[in-house]
Amino acid sequence: MSQPTPIRGLSTESRLDEAARRILAGRLADVRHPEASLSGEFSMKGVHDMRVATRRLRAALQVFRQTGRLDKVERQVKQLQDALGEVRDIHVQRDWLTQAARKQTPKHRAGLKALQQRREALLDNTSARLRRALKRWSERTVPLLLLRLGELKDAHSYGGGRIRRHLRQRLKRVEKRMARYAQAPDAATAHELRKETKKFRYALEIFQPALRRTVDALLEVLVPLQEGLGELHDADVRLELLGHVAAEATPAERAAARELLETVREERAQHAAEIARELQRWQSEQIIRGLRRMLR
């Protein structure tokens, strides 16, 4: 995952509005950086980098919402993130099908090639939506965000109790999702847990300049869980894709999908077992309790 632009010169005593201006400006720059690579054909890397950057920008907008009128900007950034996500999902599925076809027999390779082409056919509509979203982003969202940056006002400290309270709330959401996943470890609960861990990670990154030692320790245990949940989610998406094939595809495509299905199920089971072990470690080592103490 690409890293956000480092923000220098902030401390726990910095005013919250000043920290918000500098961090939001940095997150905005991170979103704008890949724009040039998306002026023509949408590259896989450019779409991915911009999508991650929009997530980080949204996280900052949510954290600093109290410093100014940022709700409208956040909604507009989400529209761009969603449009990027549609294209990104097809890129990932297409790339995976290409890699999978190389490991199959010639008979099934043709079926997977047809499936790949079927996914590529969806790119026209999703790419058109993304172009419209990028136009709205540059013409509306960027000027509005720049305007709002000049209006931010909050004299609280950047590393104060309000900030730690926000992070504790994020951690509590992660804990709740962990409990739900433990009760029903299916694709839906895994996806919700994954989203909460990502949101918590992005919020932590926002306060790294002020709480570096604490944040570094939190990320050290959080990132492996997030990445493992990402691999599990990828397997679930592939299972869903192959499941749709049974109803929509040609006989050759269905045969290729059946051949691949068992492999994906095995990979999914391995990822689920790894997540189960990681969550057991969190429980046995009382990691949540330790993280809570660090955020007091």
Side-chain angles (χ1 to χ4, degrees):
M1 181 182 292
S2 58
Q3 296 300 311
T5 298
I7 309 298
R8 311 293 184 190
L10 292 176
S11 69
T12 54
E13 289 76 28
S14 299
R15 279 178 59 111
L16 189 59
D17 49 13
E18 175 60 21
R21 270 189 290 272
R22 296 184 59 182
I23 291 170
L24 285 169
R27 296 297 189 263
L28 172 60
D30 289 341
V31 179
R32 305 223 72 183
H33 181 70
E35 276 189 79
S37 66
L38 300 181
S39 58
E41 182 179 354
F42 294 142
S43 69
M44 188 170 182
K45 183 180 186 305
V47 170
H48 172 64
D49 288 349
M50 194 171 194
R51 186 187 187 195
V52 171
T54 58
R55 284 174 170 165
R56 286 193 168 108
L57 175 57
R58 280 191 66 209
L61 288 166
Q62 291 166 356
V63 166
F64 296 125
R65 181 181 290 130
Q66 62 202 352
T67 66
R69 296 178 296 161
L70 298 173
D71 287 350
K72 184 176 180 180
V73 179
E74 194 263 327
R75 289 193 298 270
Q76 292 182 6
V77 173
K78 185 180 186 305
Q79 291 174 355
L80 175 60
Q81 178 188 318
D82 290 344
L84 288 160
E86 289 181 345
V87 174
R88 169 67 179 171
D89 289 346
I90 295 174
H91 280 169
V92 171
Q93 292 165 9
R94 180 189 63 186
D95 187 63
W96 172 69
L97 286 168
T98 300
Q99 298 296 326
R102 294 172 182 167
K103 303 175 183 178
Q104 298 297 314
T105 63
K107 175 184 176 182
H108 291 132
R109 196 174 298 143
L112 290 180
K113 180 68 174 177
L115 285 176
Q116 178 190 357
Q117 292 171 344
R118 188 186 291 270
R119 302 311 295 167
E120 287 180 344
L122 300 175
L123 272 177
D124 287 343
N125 288 336
T126 56
S127 295
R129 285 195 288 272
L130 178 52
R131 288 190 180 89
R132 291 194 294 270
L134 286 168
K135 190 171 187 295
R136 288 194 300 270
W137 157 257
S138 61
E139 294 181 355
R140 302 180 190 177
T141 309
V142 173
L144 179 60
L145 176 52
L146 291 173
L147 176 65
R148 293 290 184 260
L149 290 183
E151 301 172 347
L152 302 182
K153 189 173 182 180
D154 194 315
H156 287 85
S157 67
Y158 172 51
R162 180 184 291 191
I163 298 311
R164 293 174 182 270
R165 185 163 57 251
H166 176 85
L167 293 176
R168 288 197 300 272
Q169 290 170 350
R170 281 288 178 200
L171 177 59
K172 189 174 182 179
R173 293 189 185 110
V174 171
E175 185 178 14
K176 287 182 177 179
R177 292 298 179 184
M178 282 183 175
R180 291 180 187 177
Y181 179 77
Q183 294 174 354
D186 55 24
T189 56
H191 183 48
E192 291 302 318
L193 175 56
R194 173 176 171 261
K195 288 195 296 185
E196 286 300 337
T197 59
K198 290 175 94 170
K199 290 176 182 177
F200 186 37
R201 175 181 180 172
Y202 295 148
L204 285 170
E205 290 175 346
I206 290 168
F207 300 106
Q208 202 159 22
L211 308 170
R212 181 167 300 279
R213 186 172 299 178
T214 297
V215 168
D216 288 348
L218 290 166
L219 291 175
E220 186 176 351
V221 295
L222 184 68
V223 170
L225 175 61
Q226 179 205 327
E227 292 177 347
L229 288 164
E231 293 175 346
L232 181 63
H233 175 68
D234 289 345
D236 284 327
V237 170
R238 290 163 186 168
L239 287 174
E240 184 180 7
L241 171 63
L242 294 174
H244 288 324
V245 169
E248 302 172 357
T250 65
E253 292 170 343
R254 290 199 296 272
R258 284 195 300 271
E259 185 72 15
L260 193 54
L261 193 57
E262 189 58 35
T263 299
V264 179
R265 283 174 177 158
E266 291 175 0
E267 291 175 352
R268 204 274 178 192
Q270 291 174 358
H271 294 316
E274 291 168 1
I275 293 299
R277 287 192 293 270
E278 181 66 8
L279 292 180
Q280 179 60 39
R281 184 176 75 87
W282 276 59
Q283 183 177 10
S284 64
E285 297 179 13
Q286 298 184 329
I287 290 176
I288 290 285
R289 181 181 296 179
L291 298 184
R292 227 185 268 123
R293 284 198 300 268
M294 295 174 72
L295 292 173
R296 284 176 182 169

